[in-house]
Amino acid sequence: METINRETLQADFDAFDISEELGFLLEEPLTNLPDYYRVWLDLANNLTHLIESRKLRDLVHKMPVLSPHLLSNHRELRLAHLALGFISMGYVWQEGQHAPAQILPKALALPYWLISRRLGLPPILTYSDSVLANWKLRDPTGEMEIGNMDLIFSFPGGESCRGFFIVSLLVEMAASSGIMGALEVMHAMKISDLIGIQEGLVRVTQSLKKMKETFKLMHNHVDPAAFHGTLRIFVSGWRDNPMLPRGLLYEGVSNEPILLSGGSAAQSSAIQCFDALLCIQHEDETGAFLTRMRDYMPPAHRQLIETLCSLPSLRDFLLSRSSSDLCQAYNSCISALVDLRSYHLNTVTKYIIVPGNRTMGCPLRGVCTGLNATGTGGTSLMVFLKSVRNATQKALILERPSVSRETEM
């Protein structure tokens, strides 16, 4: 990134907790905690077996209430949040959609709440947990590619569970160069550096295309029946969810049930960064939902989105410059993001809508039907996805100015 000096870039990395190679992924997640927390890791590491054998709830009821005071750094807190998130989802949904737990026991609820407050995250399994912080390398000296990657914690669903979370992680990793491009555009705009803006937009476009290509791995590694019939309920929350209409009571924390959304791609900081940079206007319920999803992101990631939102409008800036090259670079970004969203919409049809319309045997007591048309975040799925895709399409600059950058200069 020649147009931004290294010092400025490093200040951005530190402020927004991102890296050049991994973007928003947590670098080198821990897999162990101090021995005091062994019971958490023992449950989380054996979660699939405990859910399938219907033993998890009984073991959680025997858990002591542990204090999070021995968790001394960010990565320990993230691992604890991840472990308690997986255990909580397993506890709530162990018996499937017809018998979700109404109360999260104090031994889970209280430390989870306290850790969440320290991290600035909600006490539910978020996208930033299950995708950004739930990975390890099988061969630590090897590459970050799907054959060399594994999950720290898993749900029932076997290879489809691993594939779903790891492919999602690799899509986020493909976004890293686009995030660098967004930073380049941000700094170039401050000094009206038109070359820097154009180069940054090209990086964003290339990144979005790479994200779509990476997303295609989903079809090789995730079976629609396993995803819809087994895995999906375990990333479902308790807000706008007909299976838990009043929410979930966190024992020892609140006397009233709490409403929280499950993890979803709407919680991807990378996608919301691109929306913010490109001035894409999501209105009404869609816009309100996406804004609320920022509360499910790590605070530093949320801050980058808000910083990009606070910039003068890139789209208006480009229109005021009457440069066809810049408008074309911007439109290429928009088109790549539309393509990614269209591909996501088609993938959702394959993995959720079509299986939901079939009669399938569900291994976990009928977990298929409760969310057939609803996203894990609680939205009306296809309506939401079409809305974000169409809002992106509307941002295209339709009448390009006739003056090229070379002529202007």
Side-chain angles (χ1 to χ4, degrees), residues 65 82 93 97 155 195 251-252 307 309 337 356 369 402:
V65 181
L82 177 69
W93 300 115
Q97 69 172 355
F155 289 123
I195 294 175
E251 187 180 35
T307 299
C309 284
L337 186 51
T369 57
S402 58

Side-chain angles (χ1 to χ4, degrees), residues 26 29-31 33 40-41 44-45 47 71 74-90 108 112 115-116 119 121-122 124-136 151-155 165:
L26 181 65
L30 299 179
T31 56
L33 292 173
W40 294 353
L41 293 189
N45 282 321
L47 199 64
L71 301 168
H74 180 74
R75 289 196 300 159
E76 285 187 350
L77 288 165
R78 290 289 292 273
L79 178 59
H81 198 268
L82 177 69
L84 294 178
F86 265 79
I87 297 167
S88 296
M89 288 305 205
L108 268 181
Y112 197 14
I115 289 164
S116 298
L119 285 170
L121 289 170
I124 191 170
L125 189 73
T126 65
Y127 183 93
S128 67
D129 296 313
S130 59
V131 173
L132 303 183
N134 187 30
W135 64 275
K136 58 186 177 182
L151 302 176
I152 299 173
F153 306 127
S154 295
F155 289 123
F165 289 125

Side-chain angles (χ1 to χ4, degrees), residues 78-364:
R78 290 289 292 273
L79 178 59
H81 198 268
L82 177 69
L84 294 178
F86 265 79
I87 297 167
S88 296
M89 288 305 205
Y91 181 90
V92 170
W93 300 115
Q94 173 181 290
E95 301 300 324
Q97 69 172 355
H98 299 300
Q102 307 288 325
I103 299 171
L104 199 65
K106 184 177 180 180
L108 268 181
L110 185 57
Y112 197 14
W113 183 269
L114 294 172
I115 289 164
S116 298
R117 288 189 64 180
R118 286 172 67 180
L119 285 170
L121 289 170
I124 191 170
L125 189 73
T126 65
Y127 183 93
S128 67
D129 296 313
S130 59
V131 173
L132 303 183
N134 187 30
W135 64 275
K136 58 186 177 182
L137 296 179
R138 290 170 172 173
D139 173 7
T141 64
E143 296 295 317
M144 283 188 69
E145 50 87 23
I146 196 160
N148 190 41
M149 300 192 75
D150 218 336
L151 302 176
I152 299 173
F153 306 127
S154 295
F155 289 123
E159 176 60 23
S160 289
C161 177
R162 186 185 83 90
F164 175 71
F165 289 125
I166 295 295
V167 172
S168 299
L169 175 151
L170 292 172
V171 172
E172 285 288 325
M173 198 169 144
S176 61
S177 58
I179 296 161
M180 299 306 110
L183 293 174
E184 186 169 4
V185 172
M186 179 176 79
H187 291 293
M189 275 187 67
K190 293 175 183 176
I191 56 173
S192 296
D193 173 8
L194 304 188
I195 294 175
I197 291 171
Q198 185 167 345
E199 289 178 349
L201 289 172
V202 169
R203 287 178 190 269
V204 173
T205 299
Q206 291 170 340
S207 176
L208 288 164
K209 290 179 177 179
K210 186 177 179 183
M211 290 169 73
K212 180 185 170 185
E213 287 305 305
T214 305
F215 194 18
K216 291 179 180 179
L217 291 171
M218 199 71 77
H219 302 289
N220 299 329
H221 295 276
V222 184
D223 173 65
F227 175 75
H228 184 272
T230 301
L231 173 61
R232 192 166 176 247
I233 197 170
F234 293 106
V235 290
S236 303
W238 27 93
R239 175 172 178 154
D240 301 318
N241 186 339
M243 295 179 280
L244 279 170
R246 295 185 63 243
L248 184 69
L249 185 70
Y250 286 67
E251 187 180 35
V253 171
S254 171
N255 293 324
E256 295 294 326
I258 294 170
L259 297 165
L260 290 170
S261 298
S264 76
Q267 295 172 10
S268 167
S269 303
I271 294 293
Q272 290 219 29
C273 274
F274 298 141
D275 277 350
L277 176 74
L278 299 170
C279 310
I280 293 165
Q281 301 296 315
H282 299 290
E283 297 176 350
D284 305 326
E285 291 181 16
T286 298
F289 176 76
L290 287 169
T291 300
R292 181 162 60 79
M293 288 300 99
R294 294 177 193 170
D295 294 338
Y296 292 74
M297 302 172 186
H301 300 176
R302 190 187 316 149
Q303 185 60 49
L304 176 54
I305 297 167
E306 289 168 0
T307 299
L308 290 168
C309 284
S310 70
L311 293 175
S313 167
L314 170 64
R315 193 174 186 278
D316 290 348
F317 177 88
L318 299 182
L319 285 168
S320 73
R321 295 292 156 165
S322 300
S323 165
S324 61
D325 290 348
L326 285 172
C327 289
Q328 188 172 350
Y330 173 87
N331 277 349
S332 293
C333 284
I334 295 295
S335 295
L337 186 51
V338 169
D339 285 348
L340 177 61
R341 285 187 153 137
S342 294
Y343 193 82
H344 183 218
L345 199 155
N346 291 336
T347 305
V348 164
T349 301
K350 173 181 175 178
Y351 280 90
I352 298 172
I353 305 303
V354 172
N357 289 336
R358 291 177 181 157
T359 302
M360 288 185 171
C362 295
L364 285 165

